[in-house]
């Protein structure tokens, strides 16, 4: 009784507070109005009406937020009530509810994911356990050097004959040693032209093709008659398009947004032009494999896949256990929903010598492209022979022996043998040599049934259909597997962990394009919907260049897609090819910005009739300028006067956020107000340092705290103000070599001397206090609010490479550090250290010769102030064979376990193993890594991908840049010496862990905390600032706020992508792809302070509520690449609200939506 009374009082109290806060808000708004009131001039009536409209909008938003608050409270009260009831009033081993914490030690956050260890019966394979088990020795296996001798009796196939599929393929890199266009002109177009002729000659011939980027380019070059031939070959099953991605993507550095972008681009192209949908994946060249990719493939409707580059010791183990074919399952999935059938190729490479069987010297004799007299030969010195009646028996039996040996490594009598290599089948004589000689061998097998083999050309579909048929007949199932295949080694101790960092400048540019593309997609889709609503007839505004914009969007999607290729984002292409990729990324960023600016222009205009599109004089410009593909963006300086300059800030995230926005202005005296309310923003003026100790006298940084509603365009006014009225940052400058001379005439600068200079430097905000060394400026200690002081050091180190004439050294792919390991960075002279303190942010910058390092604290409310921002500006162009590393050293007792993200999609446990060489303990990090013990977790969030390791307990280190003078013998033929001035950006978060933080045994599945997810979102999708021209008389602008409130904290709007019109090519349709990702988040830490968004335990969400007030006309769930075949049936299409759908934690959901 007493308890229900408490609940009633609580709910009543909340309601009163809500009503009073609403009333107070209205009062404040009215007060702001009164300040600006005088006699109403002409035109003010319009203003008043528009203000009234905005006021009503705001009231609606506040009410909606209130409803949400009450709903959340109701949720948590019900949750409490349930836990009280199940716990029998808190006694008898039930759930303890403490009064001092919103989420007590044993009461997890609603909707969070407890750390757990997934078990899959006796047949399940957990890769982490395999790594623990393997000795990682490398004994000589004989003919199969990295394997073992394979034996068979000969009668194994008597009951079930060997069923062999020979799968012709040609691996076409979209850029590597040559650019995409050069490869196309020199090789790819001839391969595809010959494919048409040669497959048409004989219906038994087959081929698979993977890269849609090349296929679509070729399609544009051929006539209608040839296109019909292609469709016939595809329809007859002679030509199969596998994976269907724009490229064969890298799986280590790529973000899941980009992986899905390239998959969608390819699948949409195939649907439009060929009407087909891929069923099998083919990834024979990416340097290691990620389960995030398999999740996307399964979600895009594929059911099978083939992989190749896996550590040779793992291949050998899987071959021994006959687990080379398995059901790959997501680590976090307790069901079989995410399972995909995966075939791992057992041997060293995907070329012909390493695919027919274990002995490459024999298999090479069956690569008929290497017949004597050609350009390619067999390194084992035994050439192939053309098949004749005289030698067919001997040749067929020799080959059959290899097939049989390979077959013994698998559970079924169906065998997959690829036939191909890089850029194969260019000349027509190669087609003839391979197809005619193999056909003679197959005919011989057919004429000799006592050999028990049925061999033919096939595709992946042919193979997997036969495999399923045989497995079902034998009532055999494949084992399940969880985990990933990093870090890859192809031989000896040659671990491919170098490419996780190579060409970091372009890895960062990749993410800049990705963020720009996503922001532009969303704003463009909202603009078209808003236009149709505005006109009322579903048509677009005449002057708005929607088709041209859509072409820019498509080109942007394709540039990002192309760069996900496994020699592009990896940093493993030749210098001129890297420049070609960089130029494509750069041009796409510029063009997408035009689309963004034009969309924002229309949305912001109060009077839409004033919209006019002028390519040469855009109404809005971004506040930074990119001068070239290899230059960092530079902020442009705004000229201020008494007339307000309009500043537009777009929040591309689905969350209400408090962000610090910085612009460069020409005066140290400036103020910023919210253009709508006239409310002044908290701001500070900081110096722009032209050199480490010289501040510019022409340019100043104006930073202010902006509250940005989700997906909103907010207008601010910047004006010049009276001298000395703006808050200026105060500086302290130290230099170990004596007091520095500092030139900063507009700022107060102190230079401490003696003992004062040796005292450690400290900064603090409401949430965190930090201490740094007075000698280096580098972080040493940190304290959360009122907790204990924790050790948290930042160090910089160099890795060299191996020495000695005949030894392998680091290159673009490989990391082969010298025996001495990492050496502490010791500068020849002490750094200049600048400490800045201001009302918006404070920071400590250390200027070393090879890098400038800044750690910054924001004085912002909410979670923006919880993390440290760390930025580095790195320049190692003066060095040779060195790699620069930033290491964090903490007192977290994590043992040898740490966690890194896979493609920003999920976290994967890692174990640092002493039995492995140093380079093997480095893993890819796309955007996050953490170490934890039972009491705390230290998370490093990144805005770019790089290599990460945790070599000792409490440590995390990331590789910032690498400069290597030599090739590492993997075909590139050059070192990595095209380094640039490169920026890297991080957020560092230390969190206490509460309930549910006991260590889970085995390969536990962990997730980022809610706070880490929100911080990462802000880091990867910063606000986009645009400015209006300074001189002209501007039309009236009003902010655009499409959503009433934030999406739930754990629901990420991955994209809102306008689809192509099925009738009119290169034009936008009325349909958009709505992609939502519900993040799994950790139970052991509640975000402090609580964010403004909500989260709940329910999997069902109401899409109309989520996107209110956007009117969704029709909603239809589809596959991740929005293929019509994957749409829910018409009967399931939800035409009327409420549209309730299920969003499971960790899952991405795709919907085909029309916004009214």
């Amino acid at each position: 009784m007493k308890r229900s009374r408490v609940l009633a009082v609580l709910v009543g109290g909340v309601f009163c507070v809500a009503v009073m806060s609403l009333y107070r808000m209205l009062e404040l708004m009215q007060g702001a109005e009164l300040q600006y009131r005088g006699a109403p001039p002409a035109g003010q009536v319009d203003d008043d009406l528009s203000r009234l409209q905005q006021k009503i909008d705001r009231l609606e938003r506040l009410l909606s937020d209130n409803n949400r608050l009450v709903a959340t409270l109701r949720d948590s009260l019900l949750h409490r009530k349930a836990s009280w009831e199940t716990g029998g009033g808190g006694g008898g081993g039930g759930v303890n509810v403490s009064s001092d914490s919103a989420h007590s030690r044993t009461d997890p956050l609603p909707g969070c994911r407890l750390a757990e260890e997934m078990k899959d019966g006796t047949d399940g394979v957990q890769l982490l356990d395999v790594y623990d088990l393997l000795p990682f020795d490398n004994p000589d296996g004989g003919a199969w050097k990295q394997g073992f001798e394979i034996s068979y009796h000969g009668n194994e196939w008597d009951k079930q004959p060997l069923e062999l599929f020979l799968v012709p393929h040609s691996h076409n890199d979209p850029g590597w040693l040559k650019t995409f266009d050069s490869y196309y002109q020199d090789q790819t177009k001839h391969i595809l032209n010959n494919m048409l002729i040669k497959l048409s000659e004989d219906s038994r011939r087959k081929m698979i093709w993977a890269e849609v980027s090349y296929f679509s380019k070729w399609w544009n070059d051929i006539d209608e008659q040839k296109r019909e031939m292609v469709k016939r070959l595809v329809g007859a099953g002679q030509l199969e398009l596998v994976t269907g991605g724009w490229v064969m993507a890298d799986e280590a550095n790529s973000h899941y947004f980009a992986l899905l972008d390239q998959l969608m681009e390819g699948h949409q192209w195939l649907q439009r032009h060929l009407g087909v949908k891929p069923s099998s994946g083919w990834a024979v060249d990416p340097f290691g494999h990620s389960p995030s990719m398999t999740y996307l493939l399964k979600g895009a409707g594929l059911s099978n896949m083939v992989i190749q580059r896996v550590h040779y010791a793992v291949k050998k183990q899987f071959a021994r256990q006959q687990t080379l074919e398995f059901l790959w399952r997501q680590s976090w999935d307790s069901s079989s929903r995410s399972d995909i059938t995966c075939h791992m190729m057992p041997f060293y490479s995907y070329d012909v010598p390493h695919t027919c069987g274990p002995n490459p010297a024999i298999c090479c004799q069956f690569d008929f492209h290497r017949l004597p007299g050609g350009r390619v030969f067999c390194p084992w010195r035994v050439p192939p022979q053309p098949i004749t009646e005289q030698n067919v028996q001997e040749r067929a039996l020799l080959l059959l022996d290899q097939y049989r040996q390979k077959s013994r490594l698998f559970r079924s009598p169906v065998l997959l043998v690829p036939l191909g290599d890089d850029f194969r089948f260019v000349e027509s004589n190669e087609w003839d040599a391979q197809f005619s000689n193999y056909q003679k061998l197959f005919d011989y097998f057919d004429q000799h049934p006592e050999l028990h083999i049925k061999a033919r050309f096939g595709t992946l579909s042919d193979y997997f259909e036969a495999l399923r048929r045989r497995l079902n007949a034998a009532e055999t199932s494949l084992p399940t597997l969880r985990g990933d295949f990093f870090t890859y080694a192809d031989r000896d101790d040659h671990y491919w962990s170098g490419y996780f960092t190579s060409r970091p400048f372009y890895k960062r540019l990749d993410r800049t394009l990705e963020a720009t593309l996503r922001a532009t997609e969303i704003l463009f889709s909202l603009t078209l919907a808003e236009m149709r609503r505005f006109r009322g007839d579903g048509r677009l505004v005449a002057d708005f260049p929607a088709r041209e914009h859509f072409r820019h969007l498509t080109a942007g999607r394709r540039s990002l897609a192309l760069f996900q290729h496994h020699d592009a984002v990896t940093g493993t292409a030749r210098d001129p090819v890297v420049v070609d990729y960089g130029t494509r990324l750069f041009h796409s960023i510029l063009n997408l910005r035009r689309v963004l600016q034009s969309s924002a222009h229309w949305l912001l205009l109060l009077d839409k009739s004033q919209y006019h599109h002028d390519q040469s004089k855009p109404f809005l410009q971004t506040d930074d300028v990119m001068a070239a593909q290899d230059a960092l963006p530079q902020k442009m300086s705004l000229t201020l006067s008494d007339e307000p300059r309009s500043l537009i800030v777009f929040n591309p995230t689905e969350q209400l956020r408090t962000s610090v926005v910085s612009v460069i202005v020409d005066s140290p005296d400036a103020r910023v107000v919210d253009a709508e309310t006239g409310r002044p923003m908290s701001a500070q003026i900081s110096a722009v340092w032209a050199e480490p100790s010289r501040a510019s006298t022409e340019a100043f940084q104006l930073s202010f705290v902006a509250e940005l509603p989700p997906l909103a365009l907010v207008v601010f006014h910047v004006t010049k103000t009276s001298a000395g009225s703006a808050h200026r940052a105060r500086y302290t400058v130290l230099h170990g070599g004596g007091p520095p001379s500092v030139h900063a005439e507009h700022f107060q600068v102190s230079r401490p001397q003696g003992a004062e200079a040796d005292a450690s430097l400290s900064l603090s905000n409401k949430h965190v206090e930090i201490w740094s060394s007075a000698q280096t400026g580098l972080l040493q200690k940190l304290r959360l609010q009122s907790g204990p002081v924790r050790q948290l050091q930042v160090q910089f180190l160099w890795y060299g490479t191996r020495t000695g004439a005949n030894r392998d050294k680091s290159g673009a792919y490989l990391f082969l550090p010298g025996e001495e390991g990492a050496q502490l960075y010791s500068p020849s002279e002490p750094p200049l250290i600048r400490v800045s303190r201001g009302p918006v942010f404070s920071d400590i910058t250390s200027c070393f010769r090879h890098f400038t390092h800044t750690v910054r604290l924001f004085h912002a409310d909410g979670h923006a102030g919880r993390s440290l921002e760390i930025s580095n500006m790195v320049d190692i162009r003066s060095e040779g064979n060195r790699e620069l590393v930033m290491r964090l050293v903490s007192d977290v007792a994590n043992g040898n376990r740490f966690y890194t993200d896979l493609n920003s999609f999920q976290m994967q446990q890692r174990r640092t193993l002493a039995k492995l060489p140093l380079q093997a303990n480095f893993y890819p990090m796309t955007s996050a890594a953490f170490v934890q013990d039972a009491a705390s977790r230290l998370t490093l969030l990144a805005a770019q991908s790089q290599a990460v390791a945790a070599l000792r307990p409490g440590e995390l280190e990331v590789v910032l840049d690498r400069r290597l003078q030599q090739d590492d013998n993997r075909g590139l033929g050059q070192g990595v010496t095209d380094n640039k001035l490169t920026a890297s950006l991080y957020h560092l978060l230390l969190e206490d862990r509460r309930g549910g933080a006991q260590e889970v045994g085995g390969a536990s599945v962990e997730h980022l905390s809610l706070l880490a997810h929100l911080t990462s979102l802000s880091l990867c999708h910063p606000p986009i600032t645009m400015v209006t021209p300074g001189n002209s008389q501007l039309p009236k602008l009003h902010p655009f706020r499409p959503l009433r409130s934030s999406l739930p904290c754990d629901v990420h709007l991955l994209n809102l992508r306008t689809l192509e019109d099925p009738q009119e090519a290169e034009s936008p349709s009325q349909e958009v792809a709505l992609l939502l990702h519900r993040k799994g988040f950790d139970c052991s830490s509640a975000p402090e302070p609580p964010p403004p968004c909500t989260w709940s335990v329910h999997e069902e969400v109401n899409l109309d509520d989520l996107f209110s007030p956007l009117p969704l006309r029709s909603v239809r769930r589809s596959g991740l690449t929005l293929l019509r075949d994957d749409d829910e049936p018409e009967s399931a299409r939800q035409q009327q609200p409420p549209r309730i759908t299920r969003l499971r934690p960790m899952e991405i959901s795709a919907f085909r939506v029309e916004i009214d």
Side-chain angles (χ1 to χ4, degrees), residues 833-868:
I833 303 164
R834 287 195 312 263
V835 184
S836 90
R837 292 182 173 88
V840 174
F841 66 82
S842 301
D843 60 25
I844 301 174
T845 299
S846 307
C847 304
F848 291 90
R849 182 181 156 205
H850 296 95
F851 58 92
T852 301
H853 169 82
T854 302
V855 60
R856 177 171 291 180
L857 277 183
F858 293 105
H859 304 290
D861 292 335
H863 61 269
R866 265 293 271 112
S867 56
L868 306 185

Side-chain angles (χ1 to χ4, degrees), residues 658 766-767 860-866 1011 1088-1092:
T658 306
K766 285 181 192 169
H767 311 289
D861 292 335
H863 61 269
R866 265 293 271 112
L1011 189 55
E1088 285 294 324

Side-chain angles (χ1 to χ4, degrees), residues 1009-1023:
S1009 68
L1010 208 45
L1011 189 55
H1013 276 309
L1014 293 169
T1015 307
S1016 182
L1017 183 70
S1018 301
L1019 179 63
C1020 294
H1021 301 284

Side-chain angles (χ1 to χ4, degrees), residues 91-274:
V95 180
N96 300 320
V97 179
S98 70
S99 55
D100 60 347
S101 125
H103 296 285
S104 69
R105 287 183 183 282
T106 48
D107 187 13
L109 305 163
C112 69
R113 310 268 296 175
L114 281 162
E116 55 187 322
E117 188 183 357
M118 298 284 189
K119 295 276 188 218
D120 289 312
T122 51
D123 212 10
V125 180
Q126 170 50 259
L127 274 164
L128 278 165
D129 298 339
V130 174
Y131 298 151
D132 273 350
L133 197 78
L134 290 179
F136 288 100
D137 53 356
N138 189 15
D140 190 331
W144 175 17
K145 206 168 165 43
Q146 296 172 329
F148 46 87
E149 296 290 344
I150 304 168
S151 59
Y152 61 88
H153 302 295
N155 60 356
E156 287 87 344
W157 297 274
D158 289 0
K159 288 200 180 71
Q160 287 202 318
L162 186 56
E163 200 175 346
L164 175 120
F165 294 93
L166 188 69
V167 180
H169 70 99
S170 179
H171 179 66
N172 283 239
D173 289 303
W176 180 38
L177 307 178
K178 301 180 190 176
T179 64
F180 175 78
D181 290 330
S182 298
Y183 270 139
Y184 176 75
Q185 291 302 337
D186 298 350
Q187 282 133 298
T188 308
K189 103 176 154 189
H190 305 296
I191 297 168
L192 290 167
N193 286 336
N194 279 318
M195 178 266 299
L196 266 190
I197 299 161
K198 296 298 174 184
L199 292 188
S200 301
E201 286 175 4
D202 186 339
S203 62
R204 295 172 298 181
R205 295 178 176 180
K206 306 257 181 140
M207 172 129 192
I208 60 170
W209 188 269
E211 299 82 10
V212 177
S213 50
Y214 276 132
F215 201 86
S216 63
K217 188 172 172 65
W218 174 67
W219 182 267
N220 292 340
D221 281 358
I222 60 176
D223 58 28
E224 205 47 54
Q225 186 187 356
K226 286 183 175 165
R227 289 177 180 182
E228 286 308 313
M229 285 171 73
V230 173
K231 288 177 185 171
R232 269 204 306 281
L233 290 171
V234 169
Q238 280 185 265
L239 171 65
E240 182 181 16
L241 286 126
V242 289
T243 309
W246 202 245
V247 295
M248 189 184 290
D250 170 50
E251 300 182 23
N253 302 287
S254 293
H255 190 285
Y256 76 107
F257 175 97
L259 287 175
L260 188 50
D261 169 75
Q262 66 85 30
L263 204 55
M264 206 182 290
E265 206 47 47
H267 281 200
Q268 291 280 325
W269 189 93
L270 290 173
Q271 175 179 262
R272 183 176 193 98
H273 298 280
L274 294 177

Side-chain angles (χ1 to χ4, degrees), residues 210-406:
E211 299 82 10
V212 177
S213 50
Y214 276 132
F215 201 86
S216 63
K217 188 172 172 65
W218 174 67
W219 182 267
N220 292 340
D221 281 358
I222 60 176
D223 58 28
E224 205 47 54
Q225 186 187 356
K226 286 183 175 165
R227 289 177 180 182
E228 286 308 313
M229 285 171 73
V230 173
K231 288 177 185 171
R232 269 204 306 281
L233 290 171
V234 169
Q238 280 185 265
L239 171 65
E240 182 181 16
L241 286 126
V242 289
T243 309
W246 202 245
V247 295
M248 189 184 290
D250 170 50
E251 300 182 23
N253 302 287
S254 293
H255 190 285
Y256 76 107
F257 175 97
L259 287 175
L260 188 50
D261 169 75
Q262 66 85 30
L263 204 55
M264 206 182 290
E265 206 47 47
H267 281 200
Q268 291 280 325
W269 189 93
L270 290 173
Q271 175 179 262
R272 183 176 193 98
H273 298 280
L274 294 177
V276 296
K277 168 187 161 178
S279 63
S280 301
W282 175 254
V284 291
D285 204 23
F287 325 135
H289 293 280
S290 162
S292 308
M293 189 68 183
T294 67
Y295 177 82
L296 297 176
L297 293 177
K298 182 70 189 273
L302 280 76
S303 39
N304 323 298
M305 61 186 297
V306 176
I307 60 174
Q308 152 59 23
R309 289 194 185 271
V310 170
H311 194 300
Y312 59 87
V314 174
K315 286 191 171 208
K316 179 176 170 180
Q317 167 77 2
F318 278 35
R320 275 202 198 285
Q321 306 290 329
Q322 287 191 326
T323 53
L324 288 162
E325 289 181 321
F326 49 86
L327 299 172
W328 197 344
R329 182 171 292 182
Q330 296 303 311
S331 296
W332 41 265
D333 197 351
S334 52
S335 73
S336 58
R337 259 198 316 274
S338 62
D339 289 8
I340 190 166
T341 303
C342 183
H343 170 102
M344 182 193 295
M345 291 160 64
F347 308 123
Y348 173 76
S349 167
Y350 54 83
D351 61 8
V352 183
H354 296 95
T355 45
C356 91
N359 190 334
I362 292 172
C363 290
C364 196
Q365 297 170 47
F366 294 89
D367 182 357
F368 297 102
H369 182 48
R370 302 180 195 240
L371 285 167
R375 284 194 303 259
V376 200
F377 62 93
C378 281
W380 295 270
R381 303 234 170 93
V382 186
Q385 307 166 24
I387 304 301
T388 61
E389 279 183 26
Q390 289 70 40
N391 69 7
V392 66
Q393 180 181 0
E394 177 265 330
R395 295 275 95 192
L397 294 176
L398 184 63
L399 181 59
L400 177 60
D401 173 54
Q402 288 299 307
Y403 287 166
R404 285 178 165 180
Q405 287 189 52
K406 181 175 179 178

Side-chain angles (χ1 to χ4, degrees), residues 2 132 197 241 288 303 321 516 529 564 913 1012 1111 1118 1144:
K2 191 171 167 192
D132 273 350
I197 299 161
L241 286 126
S303 39
Q321 306 290 329
T516 308
Q564 304 318 304
L913 299 175
S1118 188
R1144 294 189 178 97

